[in-house]
Amino acid sequence: MFPMEIQQSGNRFYIDDKAEITFYTQGEDTIVINHTFVDPSLRGQGIAKQLLNRVIDYARENNLKIVPLCSYAVTAMKNDASVQDVLK
């Protein structure tokens, strides 16, 4: 499997039409992750985690806090000590 490039379009990071994570802004310093999708053909390869990590990097680069709303983001972030700095 070759590495796939994560692209950004507005409040969305995605890989072709096969995987995406979306968020919206809330106030001036917060983003809310509201949707994560990975095509069944790509599941089990850590794609959702790569997308989530890209949102976390984006939040850090822009001094934003994250409110995870979609079930994947909630589960992946709540017990991860390395992301507590961006959780709101």
Side-chain angles (χ1 to χ4, degrees):
M1 187 80 191
F2 59 91
M4 290 181 246
E5 182 181 347
I6 296 174
Q7 298 176 314
Q8 181 180 8
S9 176
N11 291 350
R12 173 180 179 247
F13 289 99
Y14 65 98
I15 299 171
D16 299 323
D17 60 350
K18 299 283 189 187
E20 72 176 357
I21 189 166
T22 61
F23 58 92
Y24 60 87
T25 58
Q26 186 174 69
E28 294 182 12
D29 66 345
T30 304
I31 57 176
V32 179
I33 299 173
N34 61 336
H35 172 72
T36 305
F37 169 78
V38 176
D39 187 84
S41 67
L42 296 177
R43 291 185 185 160
Q45 300 178 44
I47 302 293
K49 182 66 172 165
Q50 290 176 42
L51 291 167
L52 179 61
N53 287 341
R54 185 60 196 98
V55 175
I56 291 166
D57 291 345
Y58 174 84
R60 287 180 176 141
E61 291 161 7
N62 293 281
N63 297 313
L64 300 170
K65 295 291 184 180
I66 297 173
V67 174
L69 191 60
C70 82
S71 59
Y72 173 76
V74 168
T75 301
M77 293 183 77
K78 72 177 180 180
N79 295 319
D80 185 346
S82 72
V83 301
Q84 298 306 303
D85 62 307
V86 294
L87 272 179
K88 182 162 187 172

